[in-house]
Amino acid sequence: MLERELACEVSDISDWLRKFLHPIERVGFEAGTMSQHLFFGLQAEGFDVVCMEARQVNAALSAMRNKTDKNDARGIAQILRTGWFSPVHMKSREAHGLRALLSSRKALLNKTIDLANEVRGLLKIFGLRLPKTVSHGSFDDIVRPMIQMDDVLIHALVPLLDARVALYQHYLELDRRVKRAASHDEVCMRLMTVPGVGPIAALRFKAAVDDPLRFKRECA
């Protein structure tokens, strides 16, 4: 009854939905990267919103002969009308914030390790071997004295070392934020009373479950 091609923006979608002449009972869409943005945005606009499980939607739409964006939209509307879907639990903005913080921390740590391994490999070419285990904090202090008398190594490795130091400093800052967030959270403090559970594991568990009532039951 109404078809429009719009940008994936809450304001644009809600404006067109309000222009629809008939009452709208429910708004539905397939789970994806923009799910949280659309779900909470349209919900704040006063619509009853449901996010549908992607595999079920894909299985239903696979029966269509011509798979286009337009036909997919019609198929999703039909699935929503019939109710043949499982709703997806939408994590809170807080949970997504914790996951983003943990993901950023992990990404910076991995990049720091990658640069350290690159430096190790280049040093071996020139017959310089580092100890098997070197802490992240002391890596720079060990490598720079080894190359200070070789102009070739200085020009090749100093930019890598500088980049690694910058990444490591940002990693340390995110690591402090993670530990601070865990220490200020009642659920994480309870989880960390379990042997072997630290702030990283506690925050990951909380961000994954994202259900305060379930936390209270499991941590009691």
Side-chain angles (χ1 to χ4, degrees):
M1 299 180 69
L2 175 66
E3 292 182 350
R4 291 291 185 278
E5 184 174 340
L6 302 171
C8 191
E9 294 295 338
V10 173
S11 57
D12 294 344
I13 297 173
S14 61
D15 287 345
W16 273 105
L17 290 177
R18 289 196 175 93
K19 292 178 182 178
F20 191 51
L21 298 178
H22 304 281
I24 296 176
E25 181 177 343
R26 182 181 294 173
V27 177
F29 51 84
E30 182 182 5
T33 55
M34 298 292 291
S35 295
Q36 187 204 24
H37 172 68
L38 292 175
F39 183 88
F40 290 109
L42 292 173
Q43 198 174 62
E45 294 291 332
F47 296 102
D48 181 12
V49 188
V50 61
C51 180
M52 293 177 278
E53 210 279 327
R55 287 177 295 181
Q56 290 184 341
V57 173
N58 183 63
L61 297 182
S62 64
M64 293 191 305
R65 182 169 301 176
N66 297 320
K67 188 169 175 59
T68 63
D69 289 343
K70 185 175 182 179
N71 287 339
D72 283 353
R74 291 183 176 184
I76 290 173
Q78 177 68 2
I79 296 170
L80 181 66
R81 187 185 68 82
T82 59
W84 296 343
F85 64 88
S86 296
V88 175
H89 170 67
M90 296 301 300
K91 296 182 183 298
S92 66
R93 186 176 180 84
E94 178 190 6
H96 280 286
L98 291 176
R99 294 183 66 182
L101 180 62
L102 291 167
S103 296
S104 298
R105 174 191 174 277
K106 183 178 180 181
L108 286 177
L109 179 59
N110 289 338
K111 296 302 181 184
T112 301
I113 294 173
D114 289 343
L115 285 177
N117 290 335
E118 183 69 20
V119 171
R120 281 179 177 272
L122 293 174
L123 287 175
K124 284 183 179 180
I125 297 175
F126 294 89
L128 300 175
R129 297 173 63 91
L130 291 175
K132 290 184 178 180
T133 56
V134 178
S135 65
H136 295 298
S138 61
F139 186 87
D140 200 65
D141 295 333
I142 293 175
V143 174
R144 287 186 188 268
M146 295 174 63
I147 65 174
Q148 63 182 355
M149 301 303 294
D150 191 321
D151 291 339
V152 174
L153 289 178
I154 288 176
H155 286 92
L157 298 186
V158 166
L160 290 179
L161 293 174
D162 291 342
R164 184 198 161 278
V165 169
L167 287 174
Y168 183 60
Q169 293 300 321
H170 287 298
Y171 159 75
L172 290 177
E173 175 59 28
L174 286 181
D175 189 60
R176 286 190 289 268
R177 293 182 186 179
V178 167
K179 292 176 180 178
R180 192 183 308 123
S183 64
H184 293 166
D185 188 276
E186 179 185 355
V187 172
C188 290
M189 292 299 293
R190 284 191 180 187
L191 290 172
M192 286 189 290
T193 60
V194 179
V197 177
I200 307 300
L203 279 177
R204 284 193 181 279
F205 185 80
K206 179 177 180 180
V209 177
D210 191 29
D211 186 348
L213 295 177
R214 183 176 174 183
F215 273 130
K216 290 181 180 180
R217 293 193 299 269
E218 294 184 356
C219 297

